[in-house]
Amino acid sequence: MTPASPAPTVARPRPAARGTAWAARAGLVAWGVIYLLMGLLALRVALGDRRQQADRNGALAELANRPFGAALLWTLGLGLVGMAVWRLSEAVFGAVGPDGRTAHMRLLAVARFLFYTAVAWSVLEFAAGAGGGGSGDAASRGLTARALGLPAGQWLVAAVGVGIVVTGVWTGVQAVRRDYYRQLKAGAMAAPVRRAVDVTGVVGGLARAAVFVAAGAFAVRAAVDYRPDQAKGVDDTLRSFAGTPAGPWLLAAVAVGLILFGLFAFALARWRRV
């Protein structure tokens, strides 16, 4: 008699999966709103409105000037708190996927938790009226100046810049390879939806990668020349695209890509496995 085949193994859900799913989706929506606004502001800059500040603070200021702006800012900040809670749950309980409970993935989740905690704090500060409406470019230059003043500061700044460049390149590679399908419930998506997700995921991911690579390159240049004024935040980095031979057209293309990445984050909020 042929022995019966073993029953298929069903992956057990993480203990915190149900409790943090809402937090993850709220955080992804909030992240999408920020990128959508940043892209729209960068597009305005490309079209000639140089008064716009195309970074996170500019996006928050744009929200604050809208009807119910304060409520929108608090909602955005709380959504980002949800993102941080989700990443913390991944560090403690493990993430979705076969390697979600490995040490590497847990450490990556800790790093993401710290990052999103800082972002959420800055947004909530802004909502409370204590957050800076200042430029992220000035903050980047100030941080670079302090780092350069440390022992081996040039090496430190250069290493951070190289790390940002590498992150950008890897982000672009993942977008082109469409690695995001490993995290999506692709079977629940209709064919037109998958095509739309591909457009937003690939083009948006490449635009985001370009910003990372450019910002990292400016940090490396600031370290090599020992000039903190050459470091750039998101706003100055985006404006630098308009200074290339392609002119404002390149900035417009990157801006559209950031808008698409915001829409991609909305798709993640709907179909990502968490």
Side-chain angles (χ1 to χ4, degrees), residues 44-184:
R44 289 188 193 175
V45 174
L47 295 176
D49 189 352
R50 303 296 177 179
R51 298 169 300 173
Q52 299 297 328
Q53 184 179 325
D55 58 10
R56 187 169 65 241
N57 278 347
L60 297 179
E62 184 74 10
L63 271 183
N65 292 328
R66 299 299 174 187
F68 308 104
L72 291 172
L73 287 173
W74 282 106
T75 302
L76 193 68
L78 292 175
L80 291 168
V81 169
M83 181 80 97
V85 169
W86 170 40
R87 295 306 190 182
L88 178 61
S89 79
E90 289 187 326
V92 175
F93 299 105
V96 171
D99 59 345
R101 295 178 181 176
T102 61
H104 166 72
M105 293 302 294
R106 289 180 189 270
L107 287 174
L108 187 59
V110 169
R112 287 169 170 165
F113 162 70
L114 295 174
F115 172 75
Y116 287 117
T117 297
V119 174
W121 180 262
S122 69
V123 174
L124 291 173
E125 273 194 325
F126 198 103
S135 169
D137 301 311
S140 295
R141 288 190 290 268
L143 183 61
T144 302
R146 289 194 294 273
L148 286 175
L150 297 173
Q154 280 182 284
W155 290 103
L156 175 62
V157 174
V160 171
V162 170
I164 296 173
V165 170
V166 170
T167 300
V169 171
W170 182 236
T171 297
V173 169
Q174 287 182 309
V176 171
R177 297 195 320 191
R178 300 186 295 177
D179 286 353
Y180 46 80
Y181 273 116
R182 298 176 184 175
Q183 303 167 331
L184 289 176

